[in-house]
Amino acid sequence: MIFGIDVISTLLGGVAAGMVLFIVSVGLSVTMGLMGFVNLAHGGFAMIGGYLIVLAMNRLGMPFVAALAIGFVVVAAVSTIFERLLYSRLYRATELDQVLFTIGLVFMMIASVTLAVGPETQPLTLPTWLQGQINLGFISYRTYSIVLIAVGTVIMLGLWLGFERTRMGAQIRAAVDNRRMAESLGINITRLFTLVFAFGSGMAALGGGLGAEFLGLDPQYPLKYLVIFLIVVAVGGLGRITGVFYASLIIGVVDFALKKYLPQGGTVFIYGMTILLLLWRPQGLFGKST
Amino acid sequence: MSATDLQNHPAARALAQRHRLRVWEGLPWLLALACYFAFPRYLGFGTEILITVLFAISLDLALGYAGIVTLGHAAFFGAGAYTVGMLAKNGIWTEPITGLLLGAAVAGLIGFLSGLVLLRTAGLTLLMLTLCFMGLLEESANMGADFTGGFDGLDSLPIKPIVGMFEFDVLYSKTQYLYVLAVLFVCFVFTRTLVYSPFGHSLTGIRENTLRMHAVGAPVERRLVICYTISAAIAGIAGALWAQANAYVNLSTLGLDRAATVLIILVLGGYGRLYGAFVGAFVYMMLEHFLSKLYPEAWQLGLGLLLVVIALFARGGILGIGEELRRRFRGWRNKP
């Protein structure tokens, strides 16, 4: 019985972490799948969003939910400018150029945040209604983790419906599968790119704020979590929302369990697993083979 | 057109002469030697630059010539460094020159085995795989603390004097500087010969158009694996030199930091150009040395801006800008 509760609490913690991974990475997956753009600066947008949210709460006294909304909107707007002015010039460039460009952006983001706010970690104080424990009947668990799971599930369902059931979602899927064909059918790809990029960056900002409590928030954030975001996207398959969702949950749970039961060398396992998986299925666990 | 006309055609002449030594090619070596006499107090820093040049050359071979986009090249630098470090610390092998060869062999072997599987992929998958492979090595080095010293690394490595005569002195890097310069020279001559050989041409072909190289019957995968192995071995030599010159080795030799830095250095100088590694390493390390301690944020901001500008406007790096200027100048001079 004790063992069962231990397993369940590990699962819950892992799933909650996985939800944050999902919210941050889903935009990266769609931008990479749709535009074929290796965007290493995606974590940078998550960091900027996280900073906006935490600062809005700590310095302006804004409530958590309002701060999250502000973070989403501001980062989405800023990333639209980035996309139109800079990213769009490199859609046809080589991967190397995209990697360099986005690493450069990450450096600039890190330096700007350090100059503007300072190098120290920004603490996120959760509102009282999210603190403490909640009784689920069979187990009592951290309220915030349960809320994260609920929020993540709702977002997943919303994105899935939007992706599968709306005209816009159909256009995105068409463009992921065959960009030239979609273009010849009159889909405005340029506009689609901008919208998707802005939305994905906004989601990253949301994830940055929601995850700030346990991922921490300091200027090195985009580099620290770069590899794990990329792993989620690569494992899930490019441009597949459900794929990213499952991959996030798997990696969230595995990472959480390894940190708990095998604090030394847990990361080795994640790297090894990713290498084997990508060698077996280069298109990712849930991606379509080409 | 007769055969002699064809031979005298400018394009044919350029192709036949592209491997010939040019006058200016002696310049970096003369400068490096001059620095030995001119700046005896900065030889430790100079040694660091020379090692970085060698590391960047190894990446140039894989990235600039064969077009293998990797983010994990520090894996091989670290493999070489840890080979020397672990052998020396346990008193198994402390002779420096054979130590370099051992470092090269281990790094080359790792490069060969990983290349054999990783190079079947391309693009984003390859990028991810190289990144994860380096992470795997880094975490293993972190975990195997009994052998690698874990997070602290291994220090005060006992390295024997070179050919039994020239002692390494950590505080006064005279020996290290000349030693590294000599090794760099040998490796450079090897790499230069390699890239101008038919093998090197086939690598360029693979970079420019893999499909066509398949079509003309070139063994693309085998060539890539060989190139990757050689590149890894040279990176291993650079790492081994680093461990010997500093008499320590730690996790910084195989992290993402080092891998990203060498990539930036190579691109800054200009990749696929051999001498880009020299220019990039010199400019980057000088700027870093004098700016990063005074204004760390401004340095990072400027570096980021530089990368963005290079990616958007100056893909050939500093040497590329030089070539472009020369071309424009010629065009302007040749106008009637």
Side-chain angles (χ1 to χ4, degrees):
Chain A
M1 187 59 206
I2 304 279
F3 177 71
I5 285 189
D6 203 38
V7 168
I8 289 173
S9 79
T10 308
L11 268 180
L12 284 176
V15 170
M19 290 296 177
V20 171
L21 276 184
F22 166 66
I23 297 171
V24 175
S25 314
V26 67
L28 184 61
S29 170
V30 179
T31 35
M32 277 193 182
L34 186 61
M35 311 164 197
F37 198 105
V38 185
N39 184 12
L40 302 187
H42 190 74
F45 288 110
M47 172 185 69
I48 292 176
Y51 265 86
L52 284 173
I53 290 162
V54 170
L55 291 180
M57 289 168 67
N58 291 353
R59 303 216 174 148
L60 305 177
M62 230 178 244
F64 190 44
V65 178
L68 286 176
I70 296 268
F72 180 92
V73 172
V74 173
V75 169
V78 169
S79 67
T80 310
I81 302 171
F82 271 89
E83 197 272 343
R84 281 291 84 213
L85 285 182
L86 299 170
Y87 279 79
S88 57
R89 293 165 180 266
L90 288 170
Y91 283 146
R92 280 171 212 284
T94 58
E95 276 139 16
L96 182 63
D97 285 327
Q98 297 175 345
V99 164
L100 290 169
F101 165 72
T102 49
I103 288 186
L105 268 191
V106 169
F107 283 170
M108 288 168 78
M109 286 170 173
I110 292 176
S112 313
V113 166
T114 316
L115 282 175
V117 191
E120 65 279 349
T121 304
Q122 296 294 320
L124 173 81
T125 326
L126 291 171
T128 39
W129 57 276
L130 285 175
Q131 288 173 4
Q133 306 261 324
I134 191 170
N135 193 355
L136 295 176
F138 54 96
I139 187 177
S140 129
Y141 204 71
R142 292 184 61 221
T143 313
Y144 188 58
S145 299
I146 303 298
V147 170
L148 277 182
I149 294 175
V151 169
T153 314
V154 169
I155 288 178
M156 165 64 205
L157 285 175
L159 284 180
W160 185 79
L161 279 178
F163 225 57
E164 299 291 327
R165 293 279 183 274
T166 65
R167 191 178 169 75
M168 176 92 190
Q171 291 180 342
I172 295 174
R173 276 182 291 133
V176 169
D177 282 347
N178 192 334
R179 184 157 91 199
R180 285 169 78 178
M181 195 64 206
E183 235 170 339
S184 354
L185 290 173
I187 296 172
N188 187 343
I189 296 282
T190 321
R191 205 192 49 169
L192 206 63
F193 278 6
T194 312
L195 281 174
V196 166
F197 190 84
F199 187 77
S201 306
M203 290 300 290
L206 209 60
L210 286 171
E213 193 246 355
F214 61 92
L215 288 180
L217 201 58
D218 62 86
Q220 296 303 319
Y221 183 96
L223 288 180
K224 212 170 12 176
Y225 296 111
L226 169 71
V227 179
I228 195 105
F229 296 150
L230 284 173
I231 286 179
V232 166
V233 171
V235 168
L238 295 181
R240 308 276 152 202
I241 286 190
T242 38
V244 183
F245 183 71
Y246 293 131
S248 305
L249 291 193
I250 293 171
I251 288 171
V253 170
V254 170
D255 190 43
F256 195 85
L258 285 173
K259 275 195 184 122
K260 194 163 163 184
Y261 299 114
L262 200 74
Q264 274 271 306
T267 333
V268 169
F269 191 76
I270 299 245
Y271 286 133
M273 198 177 80
T274 311
I275 291 175
L276 291 180
L277 182 92
L278 286 181
L279 288 174
W280 172 50
R281 284 180 71 93
Q283 74 276 23
L285 208 47
F286 305 95
K288 267 189 201 158
S289 58
T290 44
Chain B
M1 215 187 256
S2 72
T4 27
D5 281 346
L6 269 179
Q7 275 166 9
N8 287 328
H9 191 274
R13 270 220 310 269
L15 197 66
Q17 293 180 352
R18 52 175 254 154
H19 66 281
R20 297 223 176 127
L21 272 175
R22 288 159 189 82
V23 183
W24 54 262
E25 287 193 78
L27 201 64
W29 309 102
L30 289 178
L31 278 178
L33 273 180
C35 285
Y36 175 77
F37 296 106
F39 306 104
R41 289 183 50 226
Y42 286 98
L43 288 183
F45 177 54
T47 309
E48 192 84 29
I49 295 187
L50 294 178
I51 293 173
T52 312
V53 170
L54 183 58
F55 188 27
I57 285 176
S58 79
L59 180 65
D60 202 13
L61 194 57
L63 179 86
Y65 285 92
I68 303 168
V69 182
T70 162
L71 268 180
H73 217 56
F76 309 119
F77 188 89
Y82 269 98
T83 305
V84 165
M86 277 150 63
L87 288 176
K89 191 72 188 175
N90 299 320
I92 302 170
W93 202 269
T94 51
E95 206 286 313
I97 294 174
T98 41
L100 286 187
L101 295 178
L102 286 172
V106 170
L109 184 68
I110 294 178
F112 173 71
L113 292 177
S114 66
L116 218 49
V117 282
L118 302 194
L119 292 174
R120 289 156 195 249
T121 62
L124 179 67
T125 317
L126 179 62
L127 209 68
M128 285 301 306
L129 281 171
T130 54
L131 202 57
C132 284
F133 186 72
M134 183 176 68
L136 196 68
L137 281 191
E138 189 185 2
E139 281 301 318
S140 314
N142 192 11
M143 257 168 63
D146 294 345
F147 304 101
T148 61
F151 189 76
D152 302 324
L154 305 165
D155 57 4
S156 339
L157 301 174
I159 304 288
K160 269 196 196 149
I162 301 165
V163 293
M165 286 158 74
F166 306 100
E167 191 108 31
F168 283 111
D169 183 344
V170 179
L171 297 176
Y172 195 62
S173 309
K174 254 174 127 169
T175 316
Q176 280 97 316
Y177 187 85
L178 291 181
Y179 171 56
V180 171
L181 187 61
V183 175
L184 173 64
F185 185 74
V186 172
C187 292
F188 177 78
V189 170
F190 173 77
T191 312
R192 192 182 182 283
T193 316
L194 189 73
V195 299
Y196 289 132
S197 71
F199 176 79
H201 283 282
S202 75
L203 292 181
T204 313
I206 293 169
R207 180 193 70 204
E208 293 298 322
N209 196 332
T210 314
L211 208 60
R212 193 170 291 171
M213 287 305 278
H214 275 297
V216 299
V220 170
E221 259 179 36
R222 200 195 314 159
R223 295 264 158 91
L224 284 179
V225 171
I226 294 173
C227 170
Y228 199 62
T229 308
I230 296 172
S231 165
I234 297 176
I237 294 179
L241 282 173
W242 192 88
Q244 291 174 348
N246 295 311
Y248 70 84
V249 51
N250 61 11
L251 284 181
S252 80
T253 54
L254 36 61
L256 179 59
D257 262 359
R258 191 168 292 273
T261 307
V262 73
L263 181 66
I264 291 168
I265 282 173
L266 182 62
V267 169
L268 179 66
Y271 58 93
R273 286 175 165 80
L274 280 182
Y275 285 95
F278 291 80
V279 176
F282 183 74
V283 171
Y284 179 96
M285 306 263 300
M286 290 299 265
L287 285 175
E288 190 198 29
H289 192 71
F290 294 109
L291 278 181
S292 72
K293 278 177 200 101
L294 285 173
Y295 316 100
E297 283 85 27
W299 154 246
Q300 203 173 28
L301 195 68
L303 181 62
L305 190 65
L306 196 66
L307 282 179
V308 169
V309 170
I310 285 182
L312 284 173
F313 306 110
R315 293 183 187 164
I318 295 174
L319 287 185
I321 294 174
E323 282 164 20
E324 181 66 24
L325 286 178
R326 213 171 56 177
R327 202 164 28 236
R328 293 215 177 153
F329 178 69
R330 273 204 189 139
W332 170 76
R333 206 174 48 180
N334 290 346
K335 256 179 213 160

